[in-house]
Amino acid sequence: QVQLVESGGGLVQAGGSLRLSCVASGRTFSEYGMGWFRQAPGKEREFVAGITSSVGNTNYADSVKGRLTISRDSAKNMVYLQMNRLKSEDSAVYYCAASLQREYYRGTYYAPKRASEYAYWGQGTQVTVSS
């Protein structure tokens, strides 16, 4: 069992930065791949970024590559999402999620992009980017 709690959301101007944090409870946190998803009003939940357990391979949605960075500190049971050069279209509720599944692509394992592959979810944190 893993419980996740996100924090760090808020209101920011376009071009600004935010850092989201997710703290996990559970002694097996280091075994889980972690993902950040987001959901805007009237839209489906979408994958933003993922990071595998142990090795820490990362993958990103094309829309955020070069602007958002996922990282983890397994010793502290923390996952982060550094968000730079924010755009109005980044406004959404952001969710942290944990998965034991992996995707294999070109010889490397990555965290899955499908929400159905994640077993545990946080409650979400709102990010609003004003233009």
Side-chain angles (χ1 to χ4, degrees):
Q1 187 81 9
V2 177
Q3 293 183 326
L4 304 170
V5 179
E6 303 96 333
S7 62
L11 175 64
V12 63
Q13 288 188 333
S17 298
L18 278 176
R19 187 194 195 202
L20 304 184
S21 299
C22 173
V23 59
S25 64
R27 290 174 291 179
T28 60
F29 169 75
S30 61
E31 299 176 3
Y32 286 82
M34 301 298 296
W36 285 97
F37 287 75
R38 66 187 181 188
Q39 188 167 19
K43 294 187 177 181
E44 293 186 355
R45 189 170 299 189
E46 64 173 355
F47 173 81
V48 175
I51 187 166
T52 59
S53 59
S54 65
V55 177
N57 294 330
T58 59
N59 53 336
Y60 298 91
D62 289 342
S63 60
V64 307
K65 283 181 180 177
R67 299 188 299 116
L68 275 58
T69 303
I70 187 172
S71 61
R72 68 187 295 165
D73 185 340
S74 292
K76 297 181 179 179
N77 280 13
M78 296 292 297
V79 179
Y80 306 99
L81 186 67
Q82 179 65 45
M83 308 169 69
N84 299 328
R85 303 200 306 276
L86 283 163
K87 306 175 181 180
S88 58
E89 51 262 44
D90 293 319
S91 296
V93 177
Y94 283 72
Y95 298 90
C96 173
S99 174
L100 289 175
Q101 307 301 318
R102 295 182 297 181
E103 293 183 349
Y104 187 74
Y105 180 70
R106 292 185 177 179
T108 303
Y109 286 101
Y110 297 97
K113 294 184 177 180
R114 290 180 296 183
S116 60
E117 302 286 357
Y118 288 79
Y120 302 104
W121 292 82
Q123 83 291 346
T125 185
Q126 176 71 49
V127 172
T128 303
V129 183
S130 62
S131 57

